[in-house]
Every structure is written in structure tokens, then in C-alpha cells.
Amino acid sequence: MRKILIVGAGQSGLQLALGLQSKGYEVTLMSNRTADEIRSGRVMSTQCMFDTALGHERDLGLNFWESQAPRTEGLGVSVAGPAGERVIDWVGRLDGYAQSVDQRVKMAGWLETFAQRGGQLVIHGAAVGDLDYFARGYDLVLVAAGKGELVSMFGRDAERSPYAEPQRALAVAYVHGLGPRPEHPDFDAVRCNLVPGVGELFVMPTFTTSGRADILFWEGVPGGPVDAFRGIKDPADHLALTLELMEKFTPWEYARATKVELTDAGGTLAGRYAPTVRNPIGHLPGGGLVLGVADVVVANDPITGQGSNSAAKCAATYLDAIVEHGDRPFDEAWMRATFDRYWETAQHVTKWTNAMLGVPPEHVLNLIGAAGQLQPVADRFANGFDNPADFENFFFEPEKTAAYLESVAGAAGA
């Protein structure tokens, strides 16, 4: 039986550990926190997962909360005008519903499941020296802990990482009491509110430790008016500032948020990081090799909501590659080929996300505007969040955008 060590108990690490466990591998999982510590801790992300990523969980029988989590059936975009009005507003329908499960709920539950199924669980924060010692007893070591010292083993890929600094300041609040969307109250949707020059406000339904809730998520341009959460420690102050900024920049969202309250004392999060692609293979001091997983090697800004989706897709790709490899050694060539297989998907996410962080060119503004008049455009844009590769066909190049809009308008007029 092949022995595999996975360091990190997030979406990718746990999904991969449980998947390998189900295939008969002897898996050791290192987590720096227990399930109870995760469950009672601070929120970690916003994690709206779309149909393909949810399918990977279903394939492994890990969709424990699917019947409880809200079904998000649409994705809408609003653009704020100079006077605080909405100059663009539309909702696209998703072909398959999305769902968000608070990672405190999911990771704690998955961690307990891994242990209950006989997995070797080590509660310990791992440094490079620890890994150098442990690695000798395993056929393969995977690093899925996206923060901390271990990431330093994976050098930045400058060619694939255009930004050296964070492009947004992030601030998240989980709340109860958000009112319905008056424009489409009959189904749940993620709302993407674009405020040019200021940042973005995302509003999405979720399932948390106390049941149904909503996430208010600001992405502020560094140095701008929404980049104001640094140093705020009190969760109540964090929520108050979130609402103050909503009232000023997205009054249509603030109108349904006047009665919200935090889900719990751990329901806020703030921070920033530079989107970075790293070299996938880490070299240990003793000469061993480790393979980076998910956001260890491809970390995108959450502006396109791809983090947990990419993590699920990476875990699924690595699982297939490990099983297919059989008893052969997990050498450097295999590690490189396995990452390249994941990059076939991840490259589209990175390209699209980095484009959304910049000032949108005229043809993209035309595309977003046209989606308000042509429902097929809104629907296709929304479903691009599930399959970002499709943006290659109509988003990046002005000629392709124009041809696509012309074809849709022609079909609508026929």
C-alpha cells in the first residue's frame, strides 16, 4: 500500500486525502488545528462553489451539506454610476446551481470523517525541517497549506505572475437578517457590484455554523476608500464599516442590509495578498521533493470567486494522476506533468482573474452592458464562473466580443 503525506487541511488537502483514502492509499494528513478549533474559529473564505467543483465533491460522496445549503441559481452584475445609481444591472441564470458552505463547517466535518475512516491525522504545524524529517517515510508528499513557511519552498513564477503586490484589500462579514433581492426574489443569486475606481462588493448566500446566512464581501482598490479595514479588531466595528461603505457606494444593497447582524464573533475576516503562480516542486534540505497543491502554487485574487473551485479541481486532477501512476515512483517528471495537467484548467482562471483586477477595456464594458439587454449574454457570462475557459471565446479580444454580441443580437431579432 502506497503511503502519502498531505500537509494542509483545506478544500484541496482534505478532498484529496479523503479521495485517496477511498482508493485504498495509506494517507497521513497534517493539520495545524483540530476539527473543534476550526469549527469555533474565524471564517476563512467566501467559497461559492459552482457546478463542476460541486461535482467533484459528489463523486467522492463528500457533499454532506448539499440539502442544507442554499441553492444559488443565478449570478448578477451591477455597475455603480458617479451619483451612486445603478447604470447596469442584470442577473444570469446558472445551468447548474452553486452552493457555499462555510469552510469552518466543511473542513471540520471532513477532518472528522477522515479520522473516523481510519486516516492518520497529525495535529501539528509543519515547518520545512519537520517535512524534511517526515518525508523519508512516504512515497509522495503533497503541500496543500497555502500560508506559512512551507510556501517559501515554491519559487514565484514571474512569467505567470504579473502582479508583485496585492491588487485588492479584502473584507468579509457573515450576517443574518439580509432582506431579499427585490428584482428577483424567487431564486438565490450571487451579486457582483462593481464600483469603478473603488472596488467591488459581493453578496452571496451561504450555510454557516448557525444555518442559512449571507456573506458581504468588499474588495477595495489599495489606497482607496474601501481599503479601510486594516487594524480593525472588533467584529462589530468591522460590520459597521462594511455597512457604511455599502450605504455610500452600493445603496441598493444597503437598503436590504439595514437589519443585519453578524452570525457569530468569528464571522469577519480582512486581509490582502498578491496573486501569485509558483513553481510546483519544492526541494527539501535533505534532497527530497514535494508537490504543491492548489493555492500553494496558483493563488488568484478572489474577485472571480475561483479559490475553492480551483482547489476542488486541483484535488480531482491530482487524485486521477496519482491513481493512474500505479506503483511507479513519484519523481520530478511526474510532479511536473501532474501540475501541467492542472495548469490546463488553472491558466484560464488566472488569465481571467488578472484581467478583472485591471481597468476594464471598452469592449468588456460593452459586453457587460449588453448582458443587461440580451439574456443569453448574461447567462453565458454567469456560467463562465463555472467554466472560465469559455471566456477565451468572447471576453478577451475585442473582435471576438463584437462578433459574439452581433450573433446574439441577430438571433434575438430574427
Side-chain angles (χ1 to χ4, degrees):
M1 186 183 296
R2 308 206 79 180
K3 297 178 65 176
I4 296 179
L5 172 64
I6 299 174
V7 183
Q11 174 74 39
S12 56
L14 273 163
Q15 182 182 317
L16 189 50
L18 286 157
L20 288 167
Q21 190 180 52
S22 72
K23 303 288 186 183
Y25 289 79
E26 187 176 329
V27 184
T28 299
L29 179 67
M30 292 186 73
S31 170
N32 63 354
R33 292 189 292 169
T34 67
D36 286 342
E37 287 170 339
I38 293 170
R39 193 178 283 115
S40 61
R42 185 174 292 277
V43 293
M44 295 178 278
S45 66
T46 51
Q47 80 283 307
C48 182
M49 297 184 69
F50 295 90
D51 187 53
T52 300
L54 293 176
H56 293 312
E57 295 186 354
R58 293 186 193 110
D59 289 344
L60 296 173
L62 300 176
N63 53 327
F64 301 157
W65 302 275
E66 185 161 8
S67 64
Q68 297 167 274
R71 295 190 174 193
T72 298
E73 297 181 46
L75 186 139
V77 172
S78 296
V79 179
E85 79 283 16
R86 278 194 285 191
V87 294
I88 294 173
D89 180 44
W90 50 262
V91 178
R93 293 300 292 258
L94 295 169
D95 293 339
Y97 60 80
Q99 288 190 306
S100 169
V101 176
D102 183 344
Q103 289 196 343
R104 295 178 297 180
V105 173
K106 183 190 287 186
M107 301 313 141
W110 280 2
L111 201 63
E112 290 168 341
T113 299
F114 175 77
Q116 288 162 4
R117 292 178 179 176
Q120 179 67 35
L121 179 60
V122 178
I123 306 299
H124 193 279
V128 173
D130 301 319
L131 213 53
D132 195 35
Y133 173 77
F134 284 121
R136 299 163 196 163
Y138 293 90
D139 297 298
L140 174 64
V141 178
L142 300 159
V143 176
K147 300 180 178 68
E149 178 190 326
L150 295 184
V151 178
S152 66
M153 289 193 298
F154 305 91
R156 180 173 178 267
D157 186 337
E159 189 176 325
R160 292 171 170 172
S161 305
Y163 298 117
E165 301 294 331
Q167 298 300 298
R168 291 293 188 275
L170 317 173
V172 173
Y174 280 52
V175 298
H176 291 307
L178 186 70
R181 296 176 301 113
E183 66 274 22
H184 290 284
D186 55 325
F187 64 91
D188 279 317
V190 173
R191 295 293 313 185
C192 309
N193 299 280
L194 313 181
V195 186
V198 172
E200 300 81 25
L201 172 73
F202 299 89
V203 182
M204 67 188 76
T206 192
F207 177 77
T208 186
T209 53
S210 50
R212 158 74 197 239
D214 288 277
I215 299 172
L216 308 176
F217 174 31
W218 273 112
E219 288 225 352
V221 173
V226 175
D227 182 6
F229 289 85
R230 195 185 303 222
I232 293 180
K233 304 298 184 187
D234 188 311
D237 292 342
H238 181 113
L239 179 59
L241 180 56
T242 297
L243 295 173
E244 179 184 320
L245 293 167
M246 289 173 65
E247 185 176 19
K248 182 175 183 180
F249 294 112
T250 58
W252 57 91
E253 296 288 15
Y254 175 76
R256 62 193 184 106
T258 55
K259 296 180 180 179
V260 300
E261 55 186 31
L262 289 174
T263 55
D264 62 282
T268 62
L269 177 69
R272 67 189 71 206
Y273 61 89
T276 307
V277 178
R278 298 182 180 90
N279 297 314
I281 301 172
H283 295 262
L284 294 169
L289 301 177
V290 297
L291 177 60
V293 183
D295 60 358
V296 170
V297 286
V298 184
N300 290 302
D301 188 279
I303 192 169
T304 54
Q306 295 299 300
S308 56
N309 293 274
S310 292
K313 293 172 183 178
C314 183
T317 299
Y318 281 22
L319 176 61
D320 288 346
I322 291 167
V323 172
E324 289 167 10
H325 202 57
D327 293 329
R328 287 169 287 171
F330 295 110
D331 56 16
E332 187 165 357
W334 176 86
M335 290 182 177
R336 178 70 59 182
T338 298
F339 172 77
D340 289 346
R341 187 166 162 179
Y342 169 54
W343 181 248
E344 290 176 13
T345 300
Q347 64 179 324
H348 301 294
V349 176
T350 297
K351 181 177 180 180
W352 173 46
T353 303
N354 288 341
M356 291 297 290
L357 288 169
V359 177
E362 184 178 359
H363 74 277
V364 170
L365 293 175
N366 291 340
L367 177 69
I368 293 173
Q373 311 300 319
L374 300 165
Q375 190 61 40
V377 177
D379 293 345
R380 187 171 187 182
F381 196 101
N383 284 285
F385 282 74
D386 182 44
N387 177 27
D390 188 41
F391 284 112
E392 292 284 353
N393 300 313
F394 70 97
F395 182 86
F396 296 108
E397 298 173 31
E399 297 78 14
K400 287 185 178 180
T401 301
Y404 169 61
L405 294 179
E406 187 177 336
S407 69
V408 176

